[in-house]
Amino acid sequence: MRLNVTVNGEARQADDVWEGESLLYVLRERLGLPGSKNACEQGECGSCTVYLDGTPVCSCLVAAGQAEGCEVRTVEGLAEGDQLDRVQQSFVDAGAVQCGFCTPGLVVAAHDLLKRVPNPSDPEIREALAGNLCRCTGYEKILDAVRLAATR
């Protein structure tokens, strides 16, 4: 099938897509957007989180056919040109990036939280990031990054 989807504000098309192919696979392999990571393929780790019509989803669990005609915003789409989004910049400034595998999903989840709750409490931050796993940081610097982004 041909998939027509708007990705990061740009109309995109992918050909020869199998309807059951994951949105994550299409984004990474067919559309050349490697920001969202492929870690668990079961929706458990959050590394592949993207916005689908404004709602955060694990793109490994979304069949490509379900995204037909939809708006997708990836971690790459949060930046404005060369200017990182405040959440992305806060992750850098707080040292919340180590191996970087979990970072895209954490950034999208934190971005969504701050859209909904501009000044979140620590329990709200922890709840919002609960679906994202990190094996490197111990989470404290990630929490610092979200707190920093909330002040910007």
Side-chain angles (χ1 to χ4, degrees), residues 53-74:
D53 285 340
T55 301
V57 298
C58 290
S59 59
C60 71
L61 296 180
V62 176
Q66 291 177 289
E68 173 65 29
C70 292
E71 172 87 26
V72 175
R73 190 172 183 196
T74 69

Side-chain angles (χ1 to χ4, degrees), residues 8-129:
N8 300 328
E10 180 184 336
R12 301 289 301 267
Q13 196 173 73
D15 290 321
D16 300 319
V17 175
W18 172 60
E19 291 88 347
E21 196 170 286
S22 74
L23 176 59
L24 175 62
Y25 184 87
V26 170
L27 291 171
R28 289 180 57 82
E29 306 301 330
R30 296 187 184 276
L31 299 179
L33 295 166
S36 303
K37 302 302 182 211
N38 185 3
C40 71
E41 296 183 344
Q42 298 176 351
E44 296 291 329
C45 72
S47 294
C48 66
T49 303
V50 300
Y51 286 108
L52 181 63
D53 285 340
T55 301
V57 298
C58 290
S59 59
C60 71
L61 296 180
V62 176
Q66 291 177 289
E68 173 65 29
C70 292
E71 172 87 26
V72 175
R73 190 172 183 196
T74 69
V75 69
E76 292 98 337
L78 298 181
E80 294 289 334
D82 290 338
Q83 182 70 35
L84 293 178
D85 175 80
R86 68 179 172 142
V87 177
Q88 293 169 315
Q89 189 62 56
S90 294
F91 268 68
V92 172
D93 294 345
V97 179
Q98 286 192 18
C99 81
F101 213 74
C102 66
T103 306
L106 283 163
V107 166
V108 173
H111 184 271
D112 179 63
L113 168 66
L114 294 174
K115 275 193 334 182
R116 295 179 291 107
V117 184
N119 190 21
S121 65
D122 280 2
E124 288 172 318
I125 295 170
R126 289 176 190 277
E127 177 68 24
L129 302 183

